[in-house]
Amino acid sequence: MKTHPAKSKDVQPDRLKRLLRDLVDIYSPTGKEEDILEYIEKYLKRHGMVPVRQEVDENRYNLLVLPGRTGDVEVCFVGHVDTITAYDIEDYGFRDEGDTALGLGTADMKSGCAAMIEAFTVLAADAELPPLALALVVGEEEESDGAKALVDDYSFPWAVVGEPTDLAPCLGHYGYLEVLLRTRGKRVHSSVPELGQNAIESMLKLLLIVTEYTASSPKLVYNIRQLMGYPSGFVVPDACEAWLDLHLPPDSRIDVLKAELEQVVEGAGRNIPGLDGQVRFEDTYSGYRVSRNGLPVKKLREVYRQMSLPWHSQDFRSHSDGSVLWTAGVNPIVLGPGRLEAAHTPEESVSLDQVVKAAELYLNFALSLSVGDGRSS
């Protein structure tokens, strides 16, 4: 297999760290990405790139760096610039402790975005660019509206999604099912609960049954994300909602899971007051596995060998824009710096050395591509 000589030395660690610092210091929760997009657009232009705005809604857009002819795109590097809401709006910014960078978005996924931008900054100095694109998208933490807009307007066979995988290449991706449960009760004054029916108590009983069901499938990832009783105040609540996140292995059948959950809730309704016997499914994405025989995968594996990195392919356990891309016919490889378990926590962090390594990896993978190579599946 013919490969280009590695240019890892062209990645500039100090420049990359400054970029990551600036990205983390710009607060960009989902829906409020305008400031970080403006910064990145200026940064890309300053380093010789011509970013294209792709409108997502009235105030938000994706930023794209495309080759001369958009039809030439064989691999698109995709990163989302939004984060969850800050735990502490007074203390979310970048700080470093030795090799560790801390702050909101350091792992998920401003380090991945910074590494991709650094790789493209190096590539921009080369007159002969490989057939690839960079897409910095909005909205991943909620509706993935940026990724949906991307695949509506552009087509490409392969993608690299820079979510935190600790630099392990994820060729498989868990499916995702968002579930809404509701219970009803009878509202009375809080001092006489025996005269009413507490909808929260009914929900807790239901959740115990659902939890027992999910425990019977050890590979199923189950999380109670939100539990809310209504109304607030000095009353017995007569309504309750629970939102559940279910992540299931790539080879699982999501239709079977839905049917079984409906049966579980219907059966519970015979013994728990206040259940209407229904469960609602919101966002649904099937899991997937990309082909290990695809030429981009083979080239990526060769880059790992050249860089003396261990090749331990895994399945990505969370939801990501990779699911949206897969649904649109793209083959997404999820690969980025940082650890998934550090994301969405007050102590979110990433290894700066790993961010540099990610930029080198992205760069060398990009340089291994030549016109037409990515077309093989």
Side-chain angles (χ1 to χ4, degrees):
M1 182 183 301
K2 182 180 179 181
T3 59
H4 291 257
K7 289 192 177 181
S8 299
K9 63 182 185 301
D10 290 341
V11 167
Q12 297 184 21
D14 290 341
R15 178 175 65 189
L16 175 54
K17 180 179 177 180
R18 289 194 299 270
L19 172 61
L20 178 59
R21 177 188 296 274
D22 290 346
L23 294 183
V24 174
D25 280 342
I26 299 173
Y27 187 46
S28 57
T30 305
K32 298 180 180 179
E33 302 98 338
E34 295 93 332
D35 289 346
I36 196 168
L37 290 168
E38 182 179 350
Y39 171 88
I40 293 174
E41 185 172 28
K42 292 178 180 177
Y43 186 95
L44 295 173
K45 288 179 178 178
R46 192 162 67 247
H47 289 89
M49 287 167 272
V50 184
V52 175
R53 290 189 180 189
Q54 181 200 22
E55 183 177 348
V56 174
D57 59 33
E58 184 177 352
N59 299 313
R60 298 157 66 238
Y61 52 89
N62 296 329
L63 278 177
L64 313 178
V65 176
L66 304 168
R69 294 178 300 171
T70 56
D72 289 339
V73 175
E74 299 298 341
V75 178
C76 184
F77 287 74
V78 180
H80 69 83
V81 299
D82 61 312
T83 68
I84 62 169
T85 304
Y87 287 89
D88 182 354
I89 194 62
E90 301 297 328
D91 184 25
Y92 65 84
F94 181 97
R95 65 186 189 279
D96 58 335
E97 298 176 0
D99 176 56
T100 302
L102 300 98
L104 177 63
T106 46
D108 186 16
M109 58 166 285
K110 291 183 176 180
S111 59
C113 291
M116 289 179 174
I117 292 171
E118 174 63 20
F120 270 73
T121 299
V122 176
L123 290 170
D126 192 337
E128 190 174 345
L129 289 176
L132 50 84
L134 172 64
L136 300 166
V137 302
V138 298
E140 189 272 348
E141 296 293 356
E142 291 190 7
E143 303 295 331
S144 286
D145 47 350
K148 292 173 183 175
L150 176 66
V151 295
D152 280 346
D153 293 344
Y154 295 91
S155 177
F156 40 88
W158 288 84
V160 175
V161 181
E163 292 282 355
T165 69
D166 206 23
L167 290 191
C170 292
L171 307 182
H173 197 297
Y174 271 49
Y176 175 66
L177 182 62
E178 186 180 43
V179 183
L180 173 62
L181 299 174
R182 285 198 180 101
T183 55
R184 300 293 178 186
K186 179 182 178 183
R187 187 189 314 183
V188 296
H189 194 276
S190 181
S191 65
V192 286
E194 69 276 9
L195 301 180
Q197 174 57 50
N198 194 310
I200 295 178
E201 290 183 1
S202 296
M203 178 62 75
L204 292 176
K205 294 175 182 177
L206 174 60
L207 289 175
L208 285 175
I209 294 173
V210 173
T211 300
E212 183 177 358
Y213 161 75
T214 59
S216 66
S217 301
K219 291 187 178 180
L220 184 66
V221 179
Y222 166 67
N223 178 53
I224 303 171
R225 188 180 75 219
Q226 197 167 16
L227 180 66
M228 300 167 290
Y230 305 98
S232 60
F234 206 62
V235 297
V236 171
D238 61 3
C240 185
E241 289 185 350
W243 288 90
L244 314 179
D245 293 323
L246 295 175
H247 301 274
L248 51 165
D251 299 326
S252 301
R253 289 187 54 182
I254 205 163
D255 57 330
V256 173
L257 176 61
K258 286 182 177 180
E260 291 182 352
L261 279 172
E262 288 174 339
Q263 292 174 2
V264 168
V265 174
E266 182 179 356
R270 291 191 286 268
N271 300 308
I272 301 175
L275 267 65
D276 56 15
Q278 294 183 352
V279 56
R280 218 172 86 190
F281 303 110
E282 299 295 318
D283 284 349
T284 303
Y285 293 98
S286 296
Y288 68 83
R289 292 190 194 280
V290 302
S291 173
R292 295 175 181 271
N293 296 320
L295 193 54
V297 175
K298 292 179 179 179
K299 290 203 168 217
L300 181 61
R301 187 162 189 164
E302 175 63 15
V303 169
Y304 268 73
R305 187 194 65 78
Q306 292 178 347
M307 295 180 63
S308 299
L309 294 173
W311 178 272
H312 299 303
S313 62
Q314 300 178 4
D315 296 331
F316 191 66
R317 280 176 44 126
S318 181
H319 173 63
S320 80
D321 284 336
S323 298
V324 175
L325 301 178
W326 173 260
T327 302
V330 181
N331 293 287
I333 302 168
V334 184
L335 169 61
R339 295 174 295 107
L340 184 59
E341 57 267 32
H344 297 193
T345 69
E347 301 81 21
E348 185 171 0
S349 64
V350 69
S351 161
L352 289 168
D353 180 68
Q354 192 174 85
V355 179
V356 174
K357 189 66 67 178
E360 294 172 349
L361 183 56
Y362 294 150
L363 175 60
N364 288 330
F365 177 52
L367 291 171
S368 74
L369 301 172
S370 59
V371 176
D373 280 349
R375 298 182 193 278
S376 298
S377 60

